[in-house]
Amino acid sequence: MNFSDTVLVLRGGQQENSFFLNLETLEICNLDIETSPGSWSPSLHEKIRAGILGNAFPVFCSGVLLPSNVKVEDDCTFWGHDSKNSIKVPARNLPAIVSWDFGSIWLSGGYDRTEGSESKDSFIVSLDEVKDGPKLPFANSRHCMVRIDDSTYAMIGGNQGMHQLQFYSKETDLWTTGPSTPSSHYAKFGCTVFELQGSKSIAVVGGKEDAGENPDPTINTSSRRVEFFKMDTMTWEEGPDLDEGLQGFALVTGKNGKILYTIGGMPSFGAVRVLDCSSGTCPDAWTRHGGKVDKQAIGGSGGGFYNGGHVMVPDKMMNQKCP
């Protein structure tokens, strides 16, 4: 699957725009909400979960429709697909989404609205059907999932597993427990796979911090922590902290998989931060580009990006050019 250096960012909350962000130039192209495909526009949702179907269609699931506050936790919308816009899924709030294979996504865990509790159930969602997927090792929500290779996945953190790292193998259909995360990650944090010193690694960044680990949680409950899990040594190491605690942001890598970007988040809604590890080692600090999202995507209305959905854009999708 080939990806461009572009992120499709679906703004959470009552914002009028979503946008493409070019990671090389940090230039933004706004999307017109009137022409956004799908049975509902993700631009008017919050708590969106996003993934990629095949190599062309972003998928957006769950969330709350604003301003009516109607829950759409039982719907997945396929962005830009001509023949089918959406499919019904079991109602879930705050699940995780990751690519399962070329034609489907894995929707896992979340808060089961029917049962009134967190769930360990998961579902494989494609254009034509929804079927049961592998059960999580424990009921969880607000967790983060990454696909390491064609058969290996990792689940990090979550409401019921703040320090947990769990690996799932398609080949054996088994979960195994990895080394605990150095700090807690239970909501609104970012995780992604990237390359660090020639090793495939998992980056875990920011999010809501456990009050027990925060010296003064009344001032800031957002984490500045950055942690890397190296797959070759199966060990954690600390990365350079963010310049401030951050939650509800997008975390992505550039096309070469060696540069990390945070987009938006609270409290610096319009900032883009860059950590360029392409030389083989990471710098001591992130480079902050303040106001990039805020000024270009929203004009003077303010707000930035927070708690929305985001997905890397496949090369095939970028036949649409920014005006």
Side-chain angles (χ1 to χ4, degrees):
M1 187 183 303
N2 295 317
F3 290 99
S4 65
D5 266 323
T6 305
V7 185
L8 174 58
V9 183
L10 280 296
R11 197 186 315 283
Q14 302 183 51
Q15 305 296 336
E16 297 178 355
N17 305 78
S18 291
F19 54 89
F20 291 110
L21 173 66
N22 185 296
L23 296 176
E24 291 183 319
T25 64
L26 297 184
E27 293 178 347
I28 284 173
C29 168
N30 286 318
L31 299 179
D32 182 359
I33 192 171
E34 299 297 328
T35 59
S36 296
S39 57
W40 47 269
S41 170
S43 299
L44 290 181
H45 286 65
E46 64 178 5
K47 302 179 181 177
I48 305 165
R49 296 299 186 261
I52 279 285
L53 185 72
N55 67 347
F57 305 115
V59 184
F60 302 94
C61 302
S62 188
V64 178
L65 181 63
L66 297 172
S68 65
N69 207 35
V70 174
K71 293 183 183 297
V72 286
E73 296 161 355
D74 57 351
D75 193 47
C76 287
T77 290
F78 307 103
W79 183 282
H81 195 272
D82 294 332
S83 64
K84 190 166 187 176
N85 283 333
S86 63
I87 191 169
K88 292 296 180 184
V89 297
R92 290 291 184 275
N93 184 25
L94 304 170
I97 287 182
V98 68
S99 177
W100 179 252
D101 55 28
F102 183 80
S104 57
I105 58 169
W106 182 9
L107 182 72
S108 66
Y111 188 85
D112 186 331
R113 193 151 42 91
T114 303
E115 297 293 330
S117 61
E118 287 168 311
S119 176
K120 63 194 305 183
D121 293 337
S122 71
F123 307 94
I124 307 301
V125 181
S126 66
L127 282 170
D128 302 315
E129 66 175 345
V130 178
K131 59 185 181 181
D132 290 341
K135 286 186 180 294
L136 299 181
F138 50 87
N140 206 4
S141 67
R142 304 172 185 261
H143 53 295
C144 195
M145 295 279 292
V146 293
R147 181 179 179 176
I148 297 169
D149 55 40
D150 289 343
S151 61
T152 309
Y153 296 79
M155 177 176 73
I156 304 101
N159 202 44
Q160 299 300 323
M162 291 186 285
H163 287 273
Q164 289 275 349
L165 172 64
Q166 297 279 337
F167 293 102
Y168 174 76
S169 168
K170 271 188 181 180
E171 295 178 352
T172 62
D173 190 29
L174 293 174
W175 290 90
T176 56
T177 301
S180 298
T181 61
S183 62
S184 65
H185 301 277
Y186 78 94
K188 300 180 182 179
F189 62 97
C191 73
T192 189
V193 172
F194 82 118
E195 185 178 325
L196 178 64
Q197 299 170 345
S199 169
K200 186 171 287 189
S201 304
I202 304 171
V204 185
V205 177
K208 294 191 73 173
E209 192 170 49
D210 180 12
E213 298 184 8
N214 192 332
D216 191 350
T218 62
I219 295 177
N220 183 10
T221 58
S222 299
S223 174
R224 302 173 57 221
R225 296 289 298 274
V226 175
E227 295 157 354
F228 302 141
F229 184 80
K230 300 186 70 174
M231 292 298 299
D232 58 353
T233 60
M234 297 294 283
T235 56
W236 288 97
E237 64 179 56
E238 292 188 5
D241 284 350
L242 298 170
D243 57 313
E244 63 182 346
L246 195 64
Q247 60 176 278
F249 56 95
L251 178 68
V252 298
T253 62
K255 194 171 186 178
N256 66 11
K258 301 175 183 178
I259 306 175
L260 293 170
Y261 300 81
T262 71
I263 304 167
M266 186 174 75
S268 53
F269 297 99
V272 176
R273 293 171 175 82
V274 182
L275 187 71
D276 188 346
C277 304
S278 57
S279 65
T281 59
C282 297
D284 294 333
W286 295 68
T287 301
R288 175 170 172 163
H289 302 270
K292 285 288 183 180
V293 175
D294 201 318
K295 291 177 181 177
Q296 295 185 58
I298 324 171
S301 62
F305 171 79
Y306 175 64
N307 208 27
H310 68 278
V311 66
M312 292 301 297
V313 176
D315 283 331
K316 183 177 179 180
M317 188 178 176
M318 286 315 293
N319 55 6
Q320 35 187 313
K321 300 296 182 182
C322 288

